[in-house]
């Protein structure tokens, strides 16, 4: 791990996402989201899957959960998602409180990567999909400031990477003095002004 790599506590941002999920009504599960092809239930399913995958990546407990390509199937929520999602989000945060999670190599989504990068990807996923969920369900969104800064810096570093591939959409340019969240959302390939009526 380099001296410049943050060992961020993912707990506050995981708690923000859990609160947003708690605020989702059954009637909103089929609503559209800023993620093309994803309804709210799919974003929730993706969050549940990534929480398990990055929990196990942080623990270096590699296997089926860390080998599965997240794009291989449209994610869905299970019957007990309201109890399961906050549980696995808490476990994710706890796994990354161990400094060893940020060192060595691990795997997530079937991709081998350094622990420090996996931690940054997990942060990005929680911040950006938290925004997706909030926008799709009309909830206010105040991400953990530390997680938001890490997410923005991670996305900014990847903005000009020719190998962005399918992980992010094309960068949506926003004003340089826009709010940090809007800049991060734009860097992720989303339109910061997206609304449920977009």
């Amino acid at each position: 791990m380099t001296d410049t790599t943050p060992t961020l506590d993912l707990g506050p941002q995981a708690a923000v996402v859990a609160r947003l999920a708690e605020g989702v009504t059954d009637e909103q599960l089929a609503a559209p989201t800023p993620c093309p092809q994803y309804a709210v239930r799919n974003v929730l399913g993706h969050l549940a899957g990534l929480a398990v995958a990055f929990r196990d990546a942080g623990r270096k407990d590699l296997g089926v959960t860390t080998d599965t390509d997240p794009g291989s199937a449209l994610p869905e929520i299970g019957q007990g998602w309201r109890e399961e999602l906050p549980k696995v989000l808490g476990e994710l945060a706890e796994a990354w409180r161990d400094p060893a999670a940020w060192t060595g190599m691990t795997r997530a989504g079937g991709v081998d990567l350094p622990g420090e990068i996996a931690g940054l990807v997990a942060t990005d996923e929680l911040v950006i999909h938290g925004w997706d969920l909030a926008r799709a369900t009309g909830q206010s969104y105040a991400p953990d400031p530390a997680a938001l800064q890490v997410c923005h810096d991670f996305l900014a570093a990847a903005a000009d990477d020719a190998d962005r591939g399918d992980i992010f959409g094309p960068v949506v340019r926003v004003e340089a003095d826009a709010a940090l969240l809007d800049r991060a959302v734009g860097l992720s390939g989303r339109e910061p002004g997206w609304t449920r009526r977009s």
Side-chain angles (χ1 to χ4, degrees):
M1 186 167 50
T2 66
D3 292 338
T4 58
T5 300
T7 52
L8 177 73
D9 182 1
L10 296 181
Q13 181 59 27
V16 168
V17 173
R19 285 194 298 271
L20 288 168
E22 184 180 11
V24 175
T25 67
D26 289 345
E27 293 74 24
Q28 291 174 323
L29 292 176
T33 74
C35 293
Q37 317 303 321
Y38 275 28
V40 168
R41 68 177 181 275
N42 304 124
V43 171
L44 290 165
H46 181 62
L47 282 164
L50 75 86
V52 170
F54 281 98
R55 174 199 69 191
D56 293 348
R59 293 173 176 174
K60 309 295 197 295
D61 183 11
L62 309 184
V64 174
T65 60
T66 60
D67 289 349
T68 303
D69 178 354
S72 61
L74 195 63
E76 282 288 351
I77 51 173
Q79 289 291 333
W81 72 270
R82 289 190 183 277
E83 295 74 32
E84 184 65 16
L85 182 55
K87 174 178 175 286
V88 294
L89 284 168
E91 292 169 350
L92 163 69
E94 189 58 35
W96 287 91
R97 288 190 178 109
D98 183 350
W102 298 83
T103 64
M105 293 295 293
T106 191
R107 185 182 311 128
V111 178
D112 292 321
L113 67 173
E116 61 190 78
I117 300 301
L120 297 178
V121 173
T123 305
D124 165 66
E125 293 277 342
L126 291 174
V127 171
I128 298 300
H129 289 307
W131 180 86
D132 291 331
L133 194 57
R135 280 302 174 99
T137 59
Q139 299 185 68
S140 61
Y141 184 47
D144 171 58
L148 173 58
Q149 186 67 62
V150 167
C151 171
H152 172 271
D153 294 349
F154 170 69
L155 290 169
D160 298 320
D161 189 342
D163 297 324
R164 275 170 66 100
D166 297 328
I167 299 175
F168 311 109
V171 170
V172 175
R173 300 293 177 187
V174 300
E175 295 296 327
D177 60 352
L180 185 62
L181 178 58
D182 287 350
R183 284 182 276 145
V185 166
L187 287 167
S188 77
R190 290 158 170 78
E191 172 52 63
W194 190 95
T195 68
R196 289 177 289 172
R197 292 167 295 281
S198 293

